[in-house]
Amino acid sequence: MPHSPRQNTEPHSDTHISAGQRSVSPYNVYPFPPPGRVSQLYDVARCDDFVQQNPSVKFVYIQWLDYMATTRVHILPIKEFTRIIYEGQRIGIAQSNTGTLQNDTLTPIVNTKGQIFVEPDLRSLRRAHDKDPLKAATVMSYWRSEDGRPLPSCPRNNLEMLITDLQYKHNTTLQVGFEIEVTFLARDKPLNPFSSQHSQQTYEAVTNIHAWSTLTPTQWLQTPMLAEIATSLSNMGIDLQQFHAESGPGQYEFVLPPAPPLLAIDTLIQTRQVIAQIAALHGLRATLHPKPFGEKGAGSAAHAHISLQPPTRDMDFFVGGVLRHMPALCAFTMPDADSYRRVEDNKWSGGTWVCWGTQNRECPLRRVEDGRWEIRCLDGLANMYLVMASIIAAGMLGFSSASAPSPAAGPVLDQTVTEATEHSDDGVDLEVGAGQPVRPDPEVGEYKELDLPVNPSTLDDEGRARYGITRKMPKSFDEAYTALRADGVLKEALGSEVVRVYLTMKDCEQEMLDKMAEMERREWLIERY
């Protein structure tokens, strides 16, 4: 249906898969030639089809994710939403809103002058869950300039441009499958008047008789809520592969199917919202916090399984690129001080050494099979658009320069020392061949970092050196921050302005959080993630 060119509008207030096998999704890759750097017209027919198929929808949540992984939302009546689509308009917001923290604290990024324009991506449009009181739909969005140009500072747009570069410069596509680890907490834990603690935790796990893949009677009592989550998602067109109890008290894992990166992340965000909202209807808080009980209990990760097509150059992408830049990537994948409390040796959390191994869960980068790898140093506090963009940028650097030396990780780093089932019974004995480093196939390149068949923490320095393991993972966010600042090649590939804005805002966020007591900080994050 033809329609007029887009205009911008503001509210009146100030306020392993071949091309033939690739899964069908609304996020089809662009036809040749590559897309231009201007926004595309709305697909009005898609909007019409959605409205006709969902006549009960009365409102639309127009959403976008900011740098701190906070979901921002404007709610429009369906009549106003369709008007914007038919007339080719956008929603204007103050440019300053992209530079504030989770509680609207201002940062040096705030620019009080100017506007940006929120542009819904109709490919992500889907109805909300059946329990939503507004009978609404939800859609993810881009940031655009006043004249409709894509903004390099938009995390979602930046990812899409890198996906396009990967496809058209390297003839490579990706599929991504996420695991959502979440802890369900009961609110209003009664205070103990006999406790000598100055402050007491106000949350407790909904179940404590709890272990990986168990279903105790107390866990069974939670199955109505879990079933409600799964069926609500299915009704939205999001079909889980599985869900099960995880190791920590009150902790469960929900496994999403693989999809192209942008669709995978949009679906991840929408799925997390459903989990949190259904939990809230049951009087519970569903948190992605990596260590919701401090030092106690297992932590929550957000593992991502990434499949490369074609798989023939996966060593270049993952070992030559992602692993090479791993310390710097951690500034995106584990973006808070509490993120590093989860990462320990001998805890299946990815370990503390920069290394990779086939089916080795003590490595931050696990090779599952040819072309399919798992990123384990990742948690739910991260902005997944920035995470996936940084991984693709690093992977393309691996394609372009397989033999380049590793970047400096910063002087603070200690140099001395889709089927995404996390605990699958794959029969791998990590001790077999411990004294025989596995050399890579010379057809895919020679790397000093070799396939590690053992837990790296069980080796001495000489043993690790045989596998090319010489670097430690960052032990804190400060170390990851320093590594990213020092990695000029990655910053350029990702976009220097994106990195500058991100690091500036993380500076302000961490300064704010560092003023809080430990428990206050943890609960502040639990309330928001």
Side-chain angles (χ1 to χ4, degrees):
M1 178 184 300
H3 54 283
S4 62
R6 273 194 193 148
Q7 300 171 354
N8 297 318
T9 184
E10 305 175 38
H12 295 297
S13 66
D14 292 331
T15 61
H16 283 283
I17 304 174
S18 68
Q21 296 171 320
R22 197 168 292 127
S23 60
V24 177
S25 84
Y27 292 57
N28 290 328
V29 297
Y30 288 107
F32 285 96
R37 301 282 166 164
V38 296
S39 58
Q40 305 296 305
L41 296 176
Y42 289 121
D43 186 345
V44 174
R46 185 187 295 275
C47 181
D48 284 339
D49 289 345
F50 180 85
V51 172
Q52 291 171 8
Q53 294 169 17
N54 299 275
S56 63
V57 168
K58 304 301 180 185
F59 298 88
V60 180
Y61 298 110
I62 298 181
Q63 305 189 100
W64 62 96
L65 203 66
D66 69 15
Y67 276 80
M68 299 296 98
T70 300
T71 303
R72 305 287 183 166
V73 186
H74 280 200
I75 305 172
L76 271 64
I78 188 64
K79 184 176 181 180
E80 177 64 10
F81 177 77
T82 54
R83 184 192 68 79
I84 286 175
I85 300 304
Y86 293 144
E87 296 182 7
Q89 297 183 351
R90 303 180 184 87
I91 301 170
I93 62 172
Q95 187 172 356
S96 58
N97 288 323
T98 65
T100 58
L101 301 183
Q102 297 92 326
N103 58 359
D104 289 341
T105 296
L106 303 183
T107 74
I109 298 303
V110 167
N111 182 353
T112 58
K113 179 182 178 181
Q115 291 278 96
I116 67 170
F117 295 84
V118 176
E119 179 183 300
D121 183 350
L122 296 183
R123 298 173 300 174
S124 67
L125 180 64
R126 66 170 82 239
R127 57 180 294 176
H129 58 86
D130 294 337
K131 302 293 182 179
D132 188 283
L134 296 187
K135 304 301 180 186
T138 175
V139 64
M140 303 305 297
S141 305
Y142 298 106
W143 305 342
R144 302 302 196 199
S145 67
E146 188 169 2
D147 59 1
R149 288 179 293 109
L151 291 175
S153 58
C154 172
R156 195 171 182 275
N157 175 76
N158 192 49
L159 170 60
E160 186 165 51
M161 292 300 99
L162 285 163
I163 292 169
T164 301
D165 287 347
L166 178 66
Q167 179 174 354
Y168 291 107
K169 291 180 179 179
H170 301 282
N171 195 29
T172 299
T173 59
L174 301 179
Q175 294 268 307
V176 182
F178 287 104
E179 301 169 359
I180 303 173
E181 293 182 3
V182 60
T183 302
F184 294 102
L185 303 172
R187 295 177 181 269
D188 303 322
K189 177 183 176 181
L191 298 181
N192 180 0
F194 303 103
S195 174
S196 60
Q197 288 182 288
H198 178 69
S199 60
Q200 299 178 46
Q201 184 162 310
T202 57
Y203 291 99
E204 63 180 351
V206 68
T207 55
N208 283 291
I209 305 173
H210 191 109
W212 174 78
S213 288
T214 58
L215 188 59
T216 65
T218 52
Q219 291 174 291
W220 177 80
L221 291 174
Q222 302 304 320
T223 54
M225 178 187 69
L226 300 175
E228 193 173 330
I229 290 171
T231 54
S232 295
L233 289 168
S234 182
N235 290 339
M236 294 171 60
I238 301 173
D239 294 316
L240 298 172
Q241 288 190 329
Q242 58 177 289
F243 57 95
H244 60 86
E246 262 293 350
S247 296
Q251 186 187 40
Y252 291 83
E253 179 178 285
F254 300 83
V255 180
L256 289 169
L262 201 64
L263 172 59
I265 298 173
D266 291 348
T267 302
L268 173 69
I269 294 168
Q270 293 164 334
T271 302
R272 286 173 171 176
Q273 289 179 325
V274 173
I275 294 170
Q277 290 167 4
I278 297 298
L281 291 174
H282 288 259
L284 302 178
R285 174 66 183 136
T287 182
L288 306 170
H289 194 286
K291 291 290 285 187
F293 307 111
E295 299 303 324
K296 299 178 181 178
S300 290
H303 302 149
H305 287 242
I306 304 176
S307 297
L308 213 64
Q309 175 60 35
T312 50
R313 296 192 65 192
D314 63 341
M315 287 288 293
D316 292 339
F317 188 94
F318 289 104
V319 180
V322 174
L323 194 70
R324 188 182 298 274
H325 296 276
M326 184 67 80
L329 294 176
C330 286
F332 295 109
T333 64
M334 299 190 296
D336 185 77
D338 283 354
S339 300
Y340 296 82
R341 296 186 177 190
R342 181 187 67 85
V343 182
E344 302 177 78
D345 290 323
N346 308 311
K347 294 290 181 66
W348 287 20
S349 63
T352 64
W353 293 93
V354 179
C355 59
W356 71 277
T358 300
Q359 296 294 14
N360 191 339
R361 289 175 172 83
E362 280 297 317
C363 298
L365 184 58
R366 176 170 76 107
R367 178 183 173 275
V368 182
E369 60 187 3
D370 288 347
R372 176 181 162 199
W373 298 62
E374 179 190 32
I375 309 296
R376 298 182 59 76
C377 52
L378 175 60
D379 67 42
L381 304 185
N383 180 317
M384 288 300 176
Y385 297 118
L386 293 175
V387 167
M388 198 54 55
S390 65
I391 289 171
I392 292 174
M396 287 196 292
L397 289 172
F399 280 162
S400 300
S401 185
S403 61
S406 297
V412 297
L413 291 181
D414 185 353
Q415 302 294 318
T416 64
V417 282
T418 283
E419 303 86 351
T421 309
E422 171 58 18
H423 294 268
S424 62
D425 184 13
D426 49 27
V428 174
D429 183 353
L430 296 182
E431 299 300 324
V432 173
Q436 302 295 325
V438 180
R439 295 286 169 183
D441 186 336
E443 292 185 0
V444 297
E446 195 71 44
Y447 295 97
K448 70 173 185 178
E449 299 93 347
L450 305 180
D451 190 350
L452 182 65
V454 298
N455 181 341
S457 69
T458 65
L459 301 176
D460 59 16
D461 290 345
E462 182 181 354
R464 283 188 288 266
R466 290 205 306 269
Y467 291 93
I469 303 170
T470 59
R471 296 183 292 162
K472 291 280 284 185
M473 292 285 284
K475 297 191 296 292
S476 66
F477 179 73
D478 288 343
E479 291 190 3
Y481 178 100
T482 300
L484 179 57
R485 285 181 59 91
D487 196 337
V489 177
L490 179 63
K491 288 193 293 185
E492 183 179 357
L494 184 56
S496 297
E497 180 64 11
V498 170
V499 178
R500 183 192 70 83
V501 171
Y502 177 74
L503 290 179
T504 301
M505 294 186 68
K506 291 305 293 187
D507 254 340
C508 297
E509 179 209 43
Q510 294 298 297
E511 181 181 0
M512 174 185 71
L513 293 174
D514 287 346
K515 295 176 183 178
M516 302 179 186
E518 179 182 343
M519 191 173 299
E520 179 189 5
R521 176 189 183 125
R522 186 163 63 245
E523 296 198 349
W524 193 91
L525 291 170
I526 285 172
E527 288 285 357
R528 289 163 174 80
Y529 299 94

